[in-house]
Amino acid sequence: MMQPGKMPSLCVETSTTHAGRKSTAVSTLSGDGPLIEAAFTELRSLLGAKRYALWFEGKIGLAIHDDSLTVAVGSPFLLNWMQKQFKDVTTEAARAVLGPSARVTFTVDATLSVGRSTAEAGTPNESALAKVLGSTEMLVPRRSSSTSVIAPASLPLSPQHSALSPSRGRRLAELNDFIAGPQTELALTAARQVATGQPTQFNPLYIHGPVGSGKTHLLEGICRQLKRTQPTANVMLLTSEAFANYFTQALRDRSLPSFRQRFRSVDALLVDDIEFFESKRVFQEEFLHTFAELVDHGRQVVLTGSRHPRLLTKLGDELGTRFLSGLVCRLDIPDAATRQTIVESKAARLSGEFAPEALQYVAQRFQSSVRELEGALNCLQTYHSMTHKRVTLSAARQVLADLERDCLRIVRLADVIRVVCGLFGVKQKDLESESRVRTISQPRMLAMFLARKHTQSAYNEIGQHFGGRNHSTVMSAERKVQQWLDDNSTIQVASQTWTIGEILSTLEQQLLAG
């Protein structure tokens, strides 16, 4: 029998059929040999030679699927035993080899049957295992349950057991699948440049935008492309919350040196939802040192957030100014033409039959995010599966009527005042006052403009809400703000200068997000 370190690795690849259904296939890749040897060496070190030989050597199979390690054993009996006794230690071994962003799962592979292993390698049978279960206390380090690791493979796994189904494995998005419009072209171009693995003139790359605009898609696309173009590079993709969890675990385990070595030795660090660090000073300081170490040594950092770094007011100047030192790209909700292209592209991957008018209806009616478009298409796909009929425009209207009502966001005058006061740092009584100071009058006019645009309130009602003003004052404010937009005028927010278009876009995002 070949030694585990000598076996070829298995990479489970997911492909999409013409009907939109995902299938799996197992292909052999020789480039993971060093990782395989490292994983088994780490397991041997953690378990000790005797325990490793009894349970692992020549008796398990490992497979890679994106950022997941699958451990295959020969029977359901062994599956329960290995999960109970070795989940933590296999997770720790995978973390040591490939970093902290990791998942470990167990599965059954009939080709690794207990009977065959017993004959060939002396593996104990199930009765012997039962004795061990009753008499042996396994000592394994206790680790956090929130683990996620990529790992190599030792023994071939049969396709029906080893291949991870789409529901069990995470498939990262592709940059080539990202459909760009005028609002997203800059961010996509920057992402492609980072994904080449070559040094860029900007570091970090900071991508911000509302929910459902494609931030995570770009981040996953960069990660996937980097792994493809730089297979030996250590690329880490995680959320800021995951970073905080790993840091907390390191504090609890008194393993900060190991934590810092893992995070500060990566070739590329990709962090999603950076605003999680707001108001969390300890996490900010740790991430600041990690960020500085990577950037100072030429390692690429890519970050995403829902707001511009200047608007992360609770993040601290140390991090905020560093985020501004690279390239800041904004993602906006796609325009009508881009939404139409997105809908047609996604519909082509589904097995349903859709009338062009039905797809156009989806693109026109669901404008808040790409996720809403996907949800609408999934409804139509389900309708087609139930009826086996072509989805026409009338059918689309009927099926999506409830979904459209659920997506409706009612904006109140109180919501407008809340977001305006939050952005400009003023109070509601300031907007209602008689003050004509620019720092008060400009936010007041913007609030009146947004109230007229996004609520059902009449001019008189809006005026009364803002200190008992008459309808002509509100109409004047509406004309003034529209003139600012036409002239691309700027306005001062704290110490920064913003265009009126940027300010209104930010305020509207917060309004529609609730």
Side-chain angles (χ1 to χ4, degrees):
M1 180 173 294
M2 297 179 67
Q3 294 299 316
K6 302 298 183 181
M7 291 291 180
S9 65
L10 295 178
C11 176
V12 181
E13 299 178 339
T14 305
S15 59
T16 305
T17 66
H18 70 281
R21 301 184 181 90
K22 292 182 178 178
S23 61
T24 53
V26 179
S27 60
T28 301
L29 296 176
S30 60
D32 289 326
L35 290 178
I36 297 170
E37 295 181 8
F40 278 98
T41 299
E42 188 69 21
L43 282 170
R44 189 181 297 108
S45 174
L46 291 171
L47 292 166
K50 183 177 180 180
R51 209 175 264 129
Y52 174 82
L54 178 62
W55 298 105
F56 284 80
E57 189 168 17
K59 302 176 181 68
I60 67 166
L62 303 181
I64 300 172
H65 178 233
D66 285 338
D67 58 351
S68 178
L69 165 67
T70 299
V71 181
V73 297
S75 72
F77 182 88
L78 270 174
L79 177 70
N80 295 331
W81 164 252
M82 296 291 281
Q83 280 184 318
K84 181 178 179 181
Q85 296 296 334
F86 296 113
K87 179 66 177 288
D88 290 341
V89 76
T90 52
T91 296
E92 184 172 1
R95 282 179 175 175
V97 174
L98 295 156
S101 55
R103 282 194 297 270
V104 177
T105 57
F106 289 78
T107 188
V108 176
D109 179 7
T111 64
L112 300 172
S113 63
V114 174
R116 187 195 65 171
S117 298
T118 302
E120 295 179 0
T123 303
N125 57 26
E126 293 193 3
S127 61
L129 290 174
K131 293 179 181 179
V132 175
L133 281 169
S135 61
T136 302
E137 179 182 1
M138 301 299 294
L139 301 177
V140 292
R142 187 164 184 80
R143 306 292 296 179
S144 168
S145 61
S146 57
T147 57
S148 174
V149 172
I150 312 167
S154 64
L155 297 177
L157 307 181
S158 59
Q160 64 269 30
H161 293 295
S162 66
L164 292 177
S165 65
S167 61
R168 295 181 62 188
R170 178 186 178 190
R171 180 173 173 81
L172 301 181
E174 290 274 11
L175 281 180
N176 290 337
D177 293 337
F178 188 90
I179 298 174
Q183 310 88 346
T184 57
E185 189 64 43
L186 176 62
L188 178 59
T189 301
R192 284 174 172 163
Q193 187 171 345
V194 170
T196 63
Q198 302 302 316
T200 61
Q201 295 180 344
F202 50 86
N203 199 10
L205 169 61
Y206 185 97
I207 303 172
H208 70 100
V211 172
S213 57
K215 302 184 298 294
T216 303
H217 187 142
L218 289 180
L219 208 63
E220 292 185 356
I222 292 172
C223 178
R224 193 176 181 90
Q225 187 65 21
L226 279 174
K227 289 181 178 180
R228 184 178 295 122
T229 58
Q230 306 284 333
T232 60
N234 185 1
V235 181
M236 185 179 295
L237 167 64
L238 75 169
T239 64
S240 56
E241 181 184 8
F243 180 92
N245 290 340
Y246 288 127
F247 177 65
T248 302
Q249 185 68 40
L251 286 174
R252 185 179 297 118
D253 294 346
R254 299 181 181 179
S255 58
L256 279 179
S258 175
F259 166 86
R260 287 167 178 160
Q261 191 277 330
R262 289 174 181 173
F263 274 90
R264 299 179 190 183
S265 62
V266 299
D267 298 302
L269 178 63
L270 317 177
V271 183
D272 204 4
D273 298 325
I274 200 67
E275 60 269 17
F276 177 82
F277 288 141
E278 284 195 293
S279 301
K280 301 175 178 67
R281 189 66 185 176
V282 174
F283 297 145
Q284 289 181 32
E285 291 181 359
E286 184 62 31
F287 186 75
L288 172 64
H289 295 307
T290 299
F291 178 94
E293 177 75 14
L294 294 175
V295 173
D296 291 347
H297 288 81
R299 277 79 174 274
Q300 185 67 51
V301 177
V302 184
L303 312 167
T304 70
S306 60
R307 288 169 286 159
H308 192 281
R310 292 187 187 129
L311 299 180
L312 300 176
T313 54
K314 299 179 182 179
L315 194 60
D317 292 339
E318 300 91 340
L319 275 176
T321 54
R322 288 176 182 268
F323 294 168
L324 291 170
S325 65
L327 175 63
V328 178
C329 296
R330 176 184 176 84
L331 289 180
D332 280 321
I333 296 300
D335 59 13
T338 306
R339 289 199 307 273
Q340 182 68 33
T341 305
I342 291 173
V343 168
E344 292 173 354
S345 175
K346 292 185 177 296
R349 302 177 188 178
L350 300 176
S351 59
E353 185 180 357
F354 309 99
E357 298 81 8
L359 299 181
Q360 186 177 8
Y361 174 78
V362 171
Q364 290 174 347
R365 302 300 293 178
F366 296 91
Q367 304 177 11
S368 297
S369 73
V370 176
R371 292 171 185 167
E372 282 190 1
L373 297 177
E374 292 174 336
L377 286 174
N378 288 336
C379 288
L380 299 184
Q381 164 67 24
T382 304
Y383 169 82
H384 173 78
S385 300
M386 292 170 55
T387 63
H388 303 288
K389 296 179 180 179
R390 186 170 185 257
V391 181
T392 61
L393 175 59
S394 60
R397 285 176 172 166
Q398 180 180 355
V399 171
L400 298 176
D402 291 338
L403 179 62
E404 190 174 4
R405 284 193 293 269
D406 292 340
C407 292
L408 185 62
R409 162 75 177 154
I410 304 300
V411 178
R412 302 167 302 164
L413 286 172
D415 297 324
V416 175
I417 292 175
R418 173 179 54 82
V419 298
V420 171
C421 289
L423 180 60
F424 288 93
V426 298
K427 298 179 179 179
Q428 180 174 346
K429 64 180 181 180
D430 296 327
L431 299 182
E432 297 171 355
S433 70
E434 297 295 328
S435 175
R436 296 189 178 184
V437 178
R438 181 177 299 179
T439 54
I440 300 298
S441 63
Q442 287 180 334
R444 183 191 297 131
M445 286 189 283
L446 289 170
M448 290 179 177
F449 178 87
L450 290 172
R452 183 61 184 168
K453 180 178 179 181
H454 291 283
T455 73
Q456 301 298 317
S457 303
Y459 287 115
N460 280 331
E461 184 181 355
I462 296 172
Q464 288 298 317
H465 208 79
F466 286 90
R469 290 172 167 81
N470 57 38
H471 72 281
S472 61
T473 302
V474 180
M475 295 175 66
S476 175
E478 186 180 27
R479 288 194 300 268
K480 185 68 173 178
V481 174
Q482 187 60 55
Q483 185 63 45
W484 287 345
L485 281 171
D486 296 339
D487 297 340
N488 199 29
S489 301
T490 59
I491 192 172
Q492 196 78 10
V493 181
S495 60
Q496 306 294 333
T497 300
W498 292 75
T499 67
I500 292 297
E502 291 174 328
I503 290 294
L504 286 175
S505 179
T506 299
L507 291 171
E508 288 175 327
Q509 287 176 22
Q510 295 178 17
L511 273 178
L512 296 177

